[in-house]
Amino acid sequence: MTGAPLTAAALLAAAMATVGIGVYGTRLSRTTSDFLVASRSIGPHWNAAAISGEYLSAASFLGVAGLIAKYGADALWYPVGFTAGYLGLLLFVAAPLRRSGAYTVPDFAEFRLGSARLRKVAMLVVVVICVFYLVPQYQGAGLALKTLLGLPVWLGPVAVGAIVIVNVVGGGMRSITFVQAFQYWLKLTAIAVPALALLALFIGDSATLSGPMPPAVQQQTTVTVETDVVVQVAEPAGVTVTGDVDGARVDGAQLPTAGRYTLSRGTTLTLAAGAATPVVAGAPSSGDDWLSSGRGLGGSHPLYQVISIIVATFLGTMGLPHVLVRFYTNPDGTAARRTALAVIALLSLFYLFPVLLGVFARQFVPQLLITGTADAAVLLLPSVAIGGGVGAASSPVASLAPVLAALVAAGAIAAFLATSSGLLVSIAGALSTDVLRGRVRDFRVAAAVGGMVPIPLALLASSLELSRSVGLVFAVAASTLCPLLVLGIWWRGLTSVGAACGLVVGGVVSGAATTLAVVGGVDDRLLGGWPAVVVGYPAAVTVPLAFLTMVAVSLLTAGSRPPDVARIFARMHVPERLGMGVERLPRE
């Protein structure tokens, strides 16, 4: 899909609005406190919109609908977990973290346990998590520009990186607060309007909505495989292939029987109108399987997959640096709690629409299930379903398809920019205060470097689904900063040695699994699939391991507990009106 001027204009307008609002925010940014935590002056409503804006990343805007289209019911755990994680953050972390008076997560670690060495370890963990999280944002930008405008993949990461660097370097946290709040409402509009338009068009057409089982293309469609893939063919009639199939050259031949086939890069499939669509091996090929739960997200041991997704998404939110730093910007602990509660409402509203689009995607763009690139479903749906779908082309609203496509494009670029901005602030805050001297100039240097590092990583990473990639980052956060915060806030027995050991063990194990999964380093067929499933979904193993390590080592080193732990706990848990809190000031 190339040469769409309205889509290009929408992308440009969203980018320019982001830069323009960021420039406005720079007028209010003067001190180090402005750059790090917006001088702790952001109220609950503004902050909730800003948190939602930065939290709803490429995985939420594109990936959730793609996973639901591809895997069905079990993929619903991603939006549920992404939202429910804020309930844990509301109950256990938000207010005590704000009352600590810290400016960054490493600052909290030093405040709680009095160890400069632990602070360095926490800083490294923050940077690693943020870099891992930036990679799928940049990847999503490349996918969007290629899908919508036919531009080279490398241009997306470069463009998004340049814009967020400009905004963060210019005004830090205070500047991007306005940007992210605006981008939440843009993203909500961009995903809600097409979803409601599709629902209005097709809700009365039960035949269209139910569709054939398995899904079928509505008109002759040609699909080119860009990476080697194994597909499951349920009904071979109408499916012809040109290229390498199972290592043999085929030229325009129909697949002989149902079953699994390995297609090499460059192979093309031509699907006749009404032909059943092959799907990536491991994905459900029939409607009944797609609607039923308990099948996981491809591969073996589906129950373990689901449990691990729940652990990662429910607990990972409590360990995301770019989310946590937002609660430092609230005036007090009460405002932090109100912010978390408002975020739950805003996210619940948003996630209704990707789920709906995922259902429509399986019906109207099933060809994406062949290559596994279902992340593009949201980008293609308006043009295919409204502009050219069966029963839609003659509709009076068919002419709105380009407008809806442009709106979706604007929402997608907003998703990449908002999350990337928050992540870059976290990287810059950690590096400037713990590696450099903590001045505004240092913050800007750290932001410029931190924004460029993920660009080559995004180009080298594999084509793992965006929500899967972000889910792996949640697993790293849940295995490192989550136990540090939960135990640091609620258990007096935590020691700096125990916290450092837990961070190292959880970070190394979950980080190694994430790296292997992203680069495609484990074959699902090895040893019954257990190595692959643990690498692809590590949280169910790494999170308990991190908690146990922190607790066990802390018990063995109980003599090194901070002597003033009672005062520290009082400061975190006693309401501000009693006068126990003291703000920690950054260096100017």
Side-chain angles (χ1 to χ4, degrees):
M1 180 179 179
T2 62
L6 191 59
T7 298
L11 289 170
L12 184 60
M16 291 179 64
T18 297
V19 174
I21 296 172
V23 170
Y24 170 79
T26 62
R27 299 166 54 194
L28 306 176
S29 299
R30 295 291 183 268
T31 67
T32 305
S33 180
D34 287 330
F35 276 80
L36 291 177
V37 290
S39 293
R40 305 192 192 279
S41 61
I42 308 300
H45 294 97
W46 268 103
N47 216 12
I51 289 174
S52 301
E54 73 174 354
Y55 186 67
L56 295 170
S57 64
S60 297
F61 195 87
L62 302 180
V64 167
L67 278 182
I68 290 172
K70 189 174 178 181
Y71 294 110
D74 283 331
L76 290 172
W77 282 112
Y78 276 101
V80 169
F82 288 156
T83 305
Y86 274 91
L87 181 60
L89 197 150
L90 168 66
L91 295 175
F92 301 115
V93 173
L97 184 66
R98 171 59 189 89
R99 293 189 187 115
S100 72
Y103 272 77
T104 61
V105 176
D107 194 31
F108 170 83
E110 185 178 31
F111 154 77
R112 170 62 180 86
L113 297 165
S115 171
R117 182 176 299 176
L118 174 63
R119 179 178 183 134
K120 298 295 184 184
V121 175
M123 180 272 296
L124 290 174
V125 172
V126 166
V127 172
V128 168
I129 290 174
C130 291
V131 170
F132 273 149
Y133 211 152
L134 275 170
V135 169
Q137 309 313 313
Y138 287 5
Q139 280 184 303
L143 171 68
L145 291 185
K146 179 182 178 182
T147 301
L148 295 170
L149 302 175
L151 298 176
V153 171
W154 62 265
L155 189 59
V158 171
V160 168
I163 293 172
V164 298
I165 288 172
V166 168
N167 271 351
V168 173
V169 166
M173 180 64 79
R174 187 179 287 277
S175 174
I176 69 167
T177 295
F178 301 109
V179 172
Q180 291 169 336
F182 158 75
Q183 286 170 333
Y184 168 76
W185 295 108
L186 174 59
K187 284 183 280 190
L188 179 63
T189 303
I191 203 163
V193 171
L196 294 175
L198 284 167
L199 186 62
L201 279 175
F202 302 112
I203 193 64
D205 190 345
S206 58
T208 299
L209 283 176
S210 61
M213 301 295 179
V217 294
Q218 301 173 0
Q219 54 191 357
Q220 182 171 312
T221 304
T222 300
V223 179
T224 301
V225 176
E226 297 186 358
T227 60
D228 295 351
V229 65
V230 179
V231 298
Q232 177 72 38
V233 179
E235 299 177 11
V239 181
T240 58
V241 183
T242 299
D244 293 331
V245 180
D246 293 335
R249 182 67 185 178
V250 174
D251 189 11
Q254 181 172 306
L255 295 176
T257 61
R260 290 194 173 194
Y261 296 90
T262 300
L263 307 179
S264 300
R265 178 180 181 180
T267 300
T268 60
L269 288 83
T270 301
L271 310 177
T277 307
V279 299
V280 174
S285 57
S286 71
D288 291 339
D289 290 342
W290 180 73
L291 291 171
S292 63
S293 60
R295 304 179 64 87
L297 276 74
S300 54
H301 311 293
L303 179 60
Y304 171 85
Q305 290 180 16
V306 171
I307 292 173
S308 196
I309 290 170
I310 293 172
V311 171
T313 54
F314 276 50
L315 299 182
T317 304
M318 287 187 277
L320 294 178
H322 67 302
V323 170
L324 296 171
V325 74
R326 271 275 159 212
F327 290 95
Y328 297 133
T329 67
N330 284 121
D332 51 45
T334 300
R337 279 204 176 101
R338 290 175 179 171
T339 297
L341 187 61
V343 169
I344 293 173
L346 294 177
L347 295 182
S348 299
L349 175 62
F350 178 89
Y351 279 121
L352 293 174
F353 302 108
V355 172
L356 189 60
L357 289 177
V359 175
F360 283 119
R362 187 170 177 88
Q363 177 65 37
F364 294 106
V365 285
Q367 63 269 25
L368 297 179
L369 305 178
I370 298 174
T371 60
T373 56
D375 290 325
V378 172
L379 301 172
L380 296 176
L381 260 176
S383 297
V384 174
I386 296 178
V390 173
S394 60
S395 170
V397 300
S399 59
L400 295 178
V403 177
L404 295 178
L407 184 61
V408 168
I413 197 68
F416 312 138
L417 294 174
T419 301
S420 299
S421 297
L423 292 166
L424 194 52
V425 166
S426 294
I427 293 176
L431 292 178
S432 64
T433 56
D434 293 292
V435 177
L436 304 174
R437 297 175 59 185
R439 302 165 301 178
V440 170
R441 181 187 303 172
D442 299 322
F443 180 94
R444 287 171 165 161
V445 170
V449 174
M452 290 187 289
V453 168
I455 294 176
L457 297 179
L459 298 176
L460 294 173
S462 68
S463 57
L464 194 66
E465 298 99 331
L466 293 176
S467 285
R468 287 279 308 278
S469 297
V470 169
L472 288 166
V473 180
F474 271 67
V476 177
S479 304
T480 51
L481 299 185
C482 173
L484 171 66
L485 290 169
V486 171
L487 295 177
I489 290 172
W490 297 101
W491 185 43
R492 295 171 182 258
L494 184 67
T495 66
S496 61
V497 178
C501 289
L503 286 175
V504 171
V505 170
V508 169
V509 178
S510 62
T514 298
T515 302
L516 282 173
V518 169
V519 301
V522 174
D523 190 336
D524 184 52
R525 293 169 291 183
L526 293 175
L527 301 178
W530 267 115
V533 77
V534 173
V535 165
Y537 304 89
V541 173
T542 58
V543 173
L545 180 63
F547 271 99
L548 288 174
T549 301
M550 285 193 185
V551 171
V553 176
S554 293
L555 292 175
L556 293 174
T557 58
S560 63
R561 293 174 185 170
D564 56 346
V565 66
R567 178 187 61 81
I568 293 172
F569 262 64
R571 180 170 163 182
M572 290 191 296
H573 296 283
V574 172
E576 289 87 349
R577 64 178 179 273
L578 298 182
M580 295 291 294
V582 178
E583 298 293 358
R584 294 163 64 85
L585 299 176
R587 292 167 287 186
E588 295 294 340

